[in-house]
Amino acid sequence: MTDAESDRMTRILSGLPTAARQVLVETDWDSLHHAYGPAGNLPVSLCSLVDEDPGARSQALAALDTAVLHQGSLYSVTASAALFVATILDHPMGLAEHEGHFPWDDGPPRSLRAALLGWLGQLAESAAYGESPERDRTHWQWEPWHDAARREHDPDERVALHACRDIRPTLYDAVEPFLSCADPHVREAARGAAVPLLCAPALADRVPRAAALVRARLNTVTDRRERAGVARALGLWGTDTSDLLADSDPAVRVCAALGPAPLDRPRALATLLDALRDPRTTDGWFPEPLPGLDGWFRFTVLRSALALAASFEEVAPVAVAIVAAGGGSFTDHERGPILFRAFPGGYDPARPLAAAQRDLLRAFVDSDEETGGIGGNRLWFRAAGLPEDRDGIAALL
């Protein structure tokens, strides 16, 4: 640590909450690692999160993104860094705004508090992955050949994963007060963190209170984005969203249908399928993705519809139309998941194709010259136990 860093640390430490100083002092940072090696230098970055210099704060946030939670990966230092972040959420510097550090951070300036809550949400998403295969399959990037337990293979990664899961009650306690914050951007970031945190089985008892806090906003706000975000949170927490399936706003109705097990499954599925019939409009609802929903919104809607359907026949008309549409479809995020849902147990040569399966494969063959949909989806065809080329698929028809 340089003399300048030491002086800055001393100055900042004096203004930190006691809990934050305890994390810094009681953690053996030199024994921990982040994406780029030993984490002995991390306390400087953590303290810089509340530096008066906006450039220093921006660089410190960048360190959280690139080193402590690099592309969603968890490291031995991640849990300790998250505990520190949780202790400074209500720091006065949390109101300060700054621009993003990276060239791709082209959004408007955001408050430090909203940025930190957003980071905790990303950490919670990573920690929750693999706990519920049913929930994981609704993620727009899920792939059947992906090793959901890959973090469990390496002892260090396993320790890091469970350390992050163990601190979720503490993180949620720090996040909950901001679910009712006056700042809508902070409320959204807090909700984005609370959603994956409360998916933890050990936090099920916190859901009713959280649901009451976010649902209270429905009586006071008319903003589509916030109402839809509340509907999604309620659905993912397993609370009853039947009333929101009748909301006047289609975006709110769809978000209310995204939960893993809506009480009114037929109406929820119909709501999702209606949205998929007009994907251009559906994608336009949220120009900036809701927290936890990167990628085009229709990808999430499709995955949720495929997971909610009791059989492929329930979604076949819409699914076949998506494949037949050709150029507007995406390989891994639309055609592939549709194919895999049509053959959930894998193709069985001893059994004749069902009518819906035949219609789907014919749509792949008919649109293949334009889209390369069969070759481009080779891994999905393999996962479904099907031939991986056009001639092989045509022979089945």
Side-chain angles (χ1 to χ4, degrees), residues 60-372:
L61 281 170
L64 286 181
D65 288 336
T66 60
V68 181
L69 193 65
H70 181 68
Q71 297 182 348
S73 296
L74 305 175
Y75 303 91
S76 59
V77 78
T78 306
S80 296
L83 288 173
F84 178 87
V85 168
T87 66
I88 62 169
L89 287 177
D90 59 355
H91 192 282
M93 192 58 69
L95 298 174
E97 291 189 344
H98 58 86
E99 297 180 354
H101 178 76
F102 300 108
W104 54 85
D105 290 339
D106 55 357
R110 54 181 175 169
S111 71
L112 173 68
R113 183 167 295 144
L116 294 178
L117 285 164
W119 184 82
L120 288 176
Q122 294 170 26
L123 180 149
E125 292 278 1
S126 293
Y129 192 81
E131 280 186 312
S132 171
E134 177 182 284
R135 185 175 69 241
D136 292 343
R137 290 189 185 99
T138 65
H139 191 280
W140 69 281
Q141 289 183 308
W142 179 83
E143 297 167 335
W145 56 88
H146 178 67
D147 181 9
R150 62 186 175 84
R151 295 190 183 97
E152 301 288 343
H153 291 171
D154 182 279
D156 291 337
E157 292 176 346
R158 182 171 63 248
V159 170
L161 171 62
H162 288 292
C164 288
R165 288 179 176 176
D166 288 344
I167 64 171
R168 288 182 293 192
T170 300
L171 299 184
Y172 177 73
D173 287 343
V175 167
E176 187 187 76
F178 299 102
L179 293 174
S180 304
C181 180
D183 184 338
H185 300 293
V186 171
R187 284 199 306 271
E188 177 176 272
R191 196 167 54 246
V195 165
L197 286 171
L198 290 186
C199 286
L203 292 180
D205 62 327
R206 316 283 183 95
V207 169
R209 174 178 166 83
L213 287 172
V214 300
R215 186 176 271 279
R217 303 303 309 178
L218 294 176
N219 299 324
T220 59
V221 299
T222 58
D223 176 68
R224 160 180 280 178
R225 183 178 181 89
E226 181 156 8
R227 289 177 57 80
V230 168
R232 175 175 177 262
L234 294 172
L236 291 179
W237 290 336
T239 62
D240 186 7
T241 57
S242 299
D243 60 323
L244 297 176
L245 291 174
D247 195 88
S248 61
D249 190 324
V252 175
R253 295 197 299 269
V254 168
C255 283
L258 293 178
L263 294 182
D264 191 344
R265 190 192 72 85
R267 185 161 55 150
L269 180 59
T271 298
L272 297 175
L273 294 177
D274 282 345
L276 292 171
R277 291 186 178 96
D278 188 7
R280 186 181 297 273
T281 296
T282 299
D283 282 338
W285 288 338
F286 308 113
E288 179 185 351
L290 295 174
L293 294 182
D294 294 333
W296 292 110
F297 186 52
R298 71 178 185 273
F299 296 160
T300 293
V301 176
L302 174 62
R303 296 293 183 109
S304 296
L306 295 176
L308 191 57
S311 67
F312 180 66
E313 281 70 16
E314 284 193 309
V315 297
V318 171
V320 172
I322 290 174
V323 172
S329 184
F330 280 68
T331 297
D332 288 329
H333 305 316
E334 289 184 308
R335 296 192 191 106
I338 288 171
L339 180 76
F340 192 72
R341 181 64 184 86
F343 295 88
Y347 169 63
D348 182 357
R351 300 179 61 182
L353 293 172
Q357 293 173 326
R358 190 177 297 277
D359 289 344
L360 178 65
L361 294 182
R362 184 173 290 112
F364 269 103
V365 171
D366 291 347
S367 64
D368 191 56
E369 287 189 8
E370 175 190 353
T371 66

